Amino acid sequence: MKLLKTFFRNKKSWLLLGIFFGIIIILAFPSYAWTQSNVKQMATRHNSKMSPVIMIPGSSATQDRFDDLVQKINQSDGRKHSLLKLKVMNSGQINVTGEIRPGDNEPFIVVGFENNKDGYDNIKKEAKMFNTAFNQLTKKYNFNNFKAFGHSNGGLVFTDFLENYFNNDQITMKRLMTVGTPYNFEESSTSRKTQMLADFIKNKTKIPSDLVVYSLSGTQNYDSDGIVPINSVAAGKYIYQGQAASYTQITVSGKMAQHSAMLDNPQIITIMEQYLLEPKAKTTNNNRSLSDDNPTNDINNNTNN
């Protein structure tokens, strides 16, 4: 007690005590401001009505790859979705073109890369670059859910992103649609798994269990779409089936079922409108045949219980 009395009678001690509490108050203000800002951002995200479609093109393709596809969808459904395009440079800089129209709750956002070469090592680099772009998009637009569309290796980038980077309990990837994605690269036999497929299978438990997946393949000769073996596309089932909420394989055949031509195929637009875009279409377990003369599709729907 004598020590305390002596301490409080000492002016220097009062000064030190004042400085101590002053530091606490100074530190508390930024913390309070950060908390308030974080709560406000969470509330904004929670109440957001935006549900964009984020698209990644295949190797050697640019952020302009889906221009015609988006234009055709806009002509078909009449909703005039906005088109925002990002190009992630090797330096980390992100170049942006286009804009999202105010009030557009379902814009298309395309993410391309300066380094868009083929190969597993590059797929991993693109997934990391996509994560950077994705974080920037979520901070700016505060959406709480989105749909994903990947053509060819774009589907591989999304898969690597889901397994190695996507860990956000505030944002949901509702649906993933891949077109001509070579989950086993050029291998036509699923008994020979590439290192990439083996890695994807090993880490598949990181795939969100509420994700709905559609894998589209094209066939000209029932073996491939002219570039990607149909069994390589089908290998996606080893990654998503049994892990995602549902995994559906859709085979497109006919004159425009070639790998690059599929994005110009009216059947792809129909499938996107039915299964990817809002309002969410009901999935079906019925098997149907598909040809250019009869725009229906072969569907193999595997739903996890």
Side-chain angles (χ1 to χ4, degrees):
M1 290 296 293
K2 289 182 179 180
L3 289 174
L4 286 174
K5 290 179 180 178
T6 303
F7 176 83
F8 286 113
R9 282 199 298 265
N10 191 319
K11 291 183 179 180
K12 186 178 289 187
S13 298
W14 279 104
L15 179 62
L16 291 173
L17 191 64
I19 292 173
F20 173 75
F21 282 109
I23 291 173
I24 291 178
I25 293 172
I26 291 172
L27 293 176
F29 273 114
S31 178
Y32 175 77
W34 178 86
T35 301
Q36 291 294 101
S37 176
N38 194 44
V39 169
K40 183 178 179 180
Q41 184 182 38
M42 290 175 64
T44 301
R45 174 164 289 130
H46 177 76
N47 296 325
S48 175
K49 295 181 180 180
M50 181 182 287
S51 179
V53 179
I54 302 181
M55 313 173 83
I56 300 179
S59 296
S60 301
T62 71
Q63 67 278 6
D64 301 322
R65 182 67 175 93
F66 301 114
D67 286 5
D68 290 342
L69 177 63
V70 172
Q71 183 179 16
K72 290 175 181 177
I73 290 174
N74 282 338
Q75 291 172 349
S76 177
D77 72 8
R79 284 186 283 181
K80 306 301 180 186
H81 306 268
S82 303
L83 178 58
L84 181 72
K85 296 185 284 188
L86 282 67
K87 182 177 182 179
V88 186
M89 310 301 290
N90 296 337
S91 64
Q93 177 183 337
I94 300 177
N95 298 333
V96 181
T97 56
E99 62 180 1
I100 295 178
R101 187 180 66 256
D104 185 0
N105 292 329
E106 194 176 41
F108 286 99
I109 302 174
V110 181
V111 180
F113 311 97
E114 179 183 8
N115 180 11
N116 57 6
K117 297 178 181 178
D118 199 1
Y120 184 30
D121 287 340
N122 210 63
I123 295 298
K124 291 187 282 189
K125 291 177 183 177
E126 289 179 336
K128 184 176 182 180
M129 289 191 288
F130 174 75
N131 184 57
T132 300
F134 180 78
N135 289 334
Q136 179 173 303
L137 288 169
T138 57
K139 287 179 181 178
K140 183 170 183 178
Y141 296 106
N142 283 314
F143 50 85
N144 56 50
N145 73 86
F146 69 103
K147 287 89 64 177
F149 182 90
H151 177 239
S152 193
N153 282 4
L156 303 179
V157 176
F158 271 124
T159 303
D160 194 283
F161 166 72
L162 284 171
E163 292 190 349
N164 295 295
Y165 298 99
F166 186 61
N167 184 19
N168 194 318
D169 56 5
Q170 296 181 37
I171 303 173
T172 301
M173 180 190 284
K174 296 173 65 176
R175 296 185 283 279
L176 168 64
M177 180 173 287
T178 62
V179 178
T181 293
Y183 291 102
N184 203 24
F185 276 144
E186 293 84 10
E187 287 288 348
S188 58
S189 173
T190 54
S191 63
R192 297 189 298 271
K193 293 180 174 60
T194 61
Q195 185 61 54
M196 179 184 68
L197 179 58
D199 289 345
F200 283 161
I201 294 172
K202 179 182 177 181
N203 298 314
K204 71 175 186 177
T205 55
K206 297 178 182 178
I207 300 291
S209 59
D210 57 352
L211 177 64
V212 175
V213 182
Y214 299 95
S215 176
L216 280 61
S217 60
T219 174
Q220 290 184 311
N221 54 12
Y222 299 101
D223 291 324
S224 75
D225 60 13
I227 295 180
V228 178
I230 195 168
N231 283 339
S232 181
V233 178
K237 65 186 177 183
Y238 298 115
I239 305 166
Y240 290 103
Q241 189 173 324
Q243 177 60 34
S246 69
Y247 170 82
T248 303
Q249 295 178 202
I250 303 176
T251 302
V252 176
S253 62
K255 298 176 182 177
M256 300 183 70
Q258 195 271 343
H259 187 74
S260 298
M262 279 197 289
L263 294 181
D264 297 317
N265 193 326
Q267 300 168 74
I268 298 298
I269 294 174
T270 299
I271 292 169
M272 290 179 69
E273 291 176 340
Q274 285 182 322
Y275 301 115
L276 185 66
L277 303 182
E278 303 293 347
K280 184 178 179 180
K282 294 181 180 180
T283 57
T284 177
N285 289 321
N286 296 329
N287 292 321
R288 297 176 288 176
S289 60
L290 182 85
S291 67
D292 285 332
D293 297 325
N294 182 22
T296 55
N297 49 291
D298 293 332
I299 298 180
N300 181 12
N301 189 357
N302 302 287
T303 303
N304 307 320
N305 296 321

